[in-house]
Amino acid sequence: MDFDATAQVDQILANYEASRLIIWITLGVIVVALIALGTEFWVNLFGVIFSPSLTFQRILGEAQTVPGLVIIAITGMACGAIVNGFLSNEVIVQKIVDTINSDMVKQGGDQLDQVFKQTQSDFSLVGNLDYVREYIFQAQSLAVAIPIAFLVAWILWGLAGQLASMIAGNKAGHGITNLWSAIPYIWIFLILSTWLSMLQMAGRSGVNIIGLIVGLFMVFIHVVMMREHGRYSIANAVISTVLTGILYPILLVVVTILIVGIVAQAAIYL
């Protein structure tokens, strides 16, 4: 199945009003959610930027998971709205298509397909790439898929962070719920990072440096968060941050395989 990026863009432009409506609805939901979070959210966000150590001490100590979940949902919806808003740009669409068609993605898909076969599953990641290419650019799909992906990633990143913290020497620090409360105040900067990435893909000059600064800042405050989480030295915090980045994709693959395996086994008895 050949993918015509120009035809896909034409389809997006034909549904322009629906796309814009989804963006405005998303922004409205975000505003309502921010109002519900109250001034504490803004105080914490300001503190993470200008006094991350003290702020993370307080956030980790309170372990308010529900507000963290709301912030993650806001971040996912905002990123989805940004991506959807840029999909009228043919250059960006083609770059996303090229990424999906890259050899690295195909090789990874082939390896996962071998695992799926061992679980007696008919699911094929490679075989579904055409389906992904067909539907990934629809505004409705992005509006739902990206926030859900953020929620799943938040859960697994917290689990990876907790395991990494324990490996790095967390013996008297906080638990996973504390980590889930703090992570959203780092990930919210992905809104800015996503916007900069879209500008870069669209060919805007000068955004690479800004994007690098935002990325380095996120790594820095993650290290600070892990130090306060585990109550250990900055060196251990760096180690736990690196381990988190290593453990997360492993957990993602394991969870994916488990879900596919469970569905495959359930299908045998249905």
Side-chain angles (χ1 to χ4, degrees):
M1 175 178 172
D2 296 330
F3 181 83
D4 188 345
T6 302
Q8 186 66 59
V9 172
D10 291 340
Q11 180 181 354
I12 293 172
L13 293 177
N15 297 323
Y16 178 80
E17 293 299 329
S19 300
R20 304 309 295 182
L21 179 61
I22 288 176
I23 292 175
W24 283 111
I25 291 175
T26 300
L27 293 177
V29 173
I30 290 173
V31 170
V32 172
L34 289 175
I35 293 174
L37 287 172
T39 57
E40 184 178 1
F41 164 76
W42 298 106
V43 171
N44 289 339
L45 185 59
F46 183 86
V48 165
I49 297 174
F50 295 100
S51 183
S53 182
L54 292 175
T55 303
F56 279 126
Q57 284 181 21
R58 179 162 47 82
I59 296 174
L60 289 164
E62 293 173 352
Q64 297 182 0
T65 306
V66 174
L69 188 151
V70 174
I71 296 171
I72 288 294
I74 290 174
T75 302
M77 287 188 292
C79 290
I82 291 171
V83 173
N84 184 53
F86 276 89
L87 284 184
S88 59
N89 188 306
E90 184 176 348
V91 175
I92 292 179
V93 173
Q94 188 59 54
K95 286 185 177 180
I96 296 176
V97 172
D98 292 341
T99 301
I100 295 175
N101 290 329
S102 66
D103 292 336
M104 183 178 66
V105 172
K106 290 181 178 179
Q107 290 174 3
D110 288 333
Q111 293 175 359
L112 284 176
D113 282 349
Q114 295 300 320
V115 177
F116 295 147
K117 288 181 180 179
Q118 294 178 4
T119 62
Q120 298 180 350
S121 172
D122 294 330
F123 178 82
S124 171
L125 187 61
V126 175
N128 281 272
L129 284 178
D130 288 335
Y131 178 86
V132 172
R133 283 193 291 267
E134 181 178 356
Y135 290 101
I136 192 173
F137 300 106
Q138 293 187 6
Q140 297 89 339
S141 299
L142 286 171
V144 176
I146 293 182
I148 292 177
F150 267 68
L151 289 172
V152 173
W154 169 62
I155 294 173
L156 294 181
W157 191 270
L159 180 58
Q162 182 64 23
L163 292 174
S165 180
M166 295 172 65
I167 294 173
N170 181 357
K171 297 181 180 179
H174 300 288
I176 190 170
T177 55
N178 306 80
L179 204 55
W180 279 332
S181 301
I183 290 173
Y185 287 97
I186 300 176
W187 282 23
I188 196 168
F189 293 99
L190 288 174
I191 297 174
L192 177 58
S193 180
T194 300
W195 180 60
L196 292 172
S197 297
M198 292 294 103
L199 289 177
Q200 179 183 354
M201 293 176 68
R204 297 289 182 87
S205 59
V207 298
N208 292 348
I209 297 177
I210 301 175
L212 178 61
I213 293 173
V214 173
L216 291 175
F217 175 72
M218 291 179 64
V219 173
F220 166 73
I221 58 177
H222 193 284
V223 171
V224 174
M225 178 192 69
M226 295 304 291
R227 183 185 66 179
E228 300 302 332
H229 174 71
R231 296 176 182 173
Y232 39 46
S233 66
I234 192 69
N236 290 47
V238 172
I239 293 173
S240 62
T241 296
V242 173
L243 286 175
T244 301
I246 296 174
L247 291 172
Y248 169 74
I250 295 175
L251 289 176
L252 183 60
V253 171
V254 170
V255 169
T256 302
I257 293 173
L258 286 176
I259 292 175
V260 173
I262 292 173
V263 172
Q265 291 299 319
I268 296 175
Y269 299 99
L270 292 179

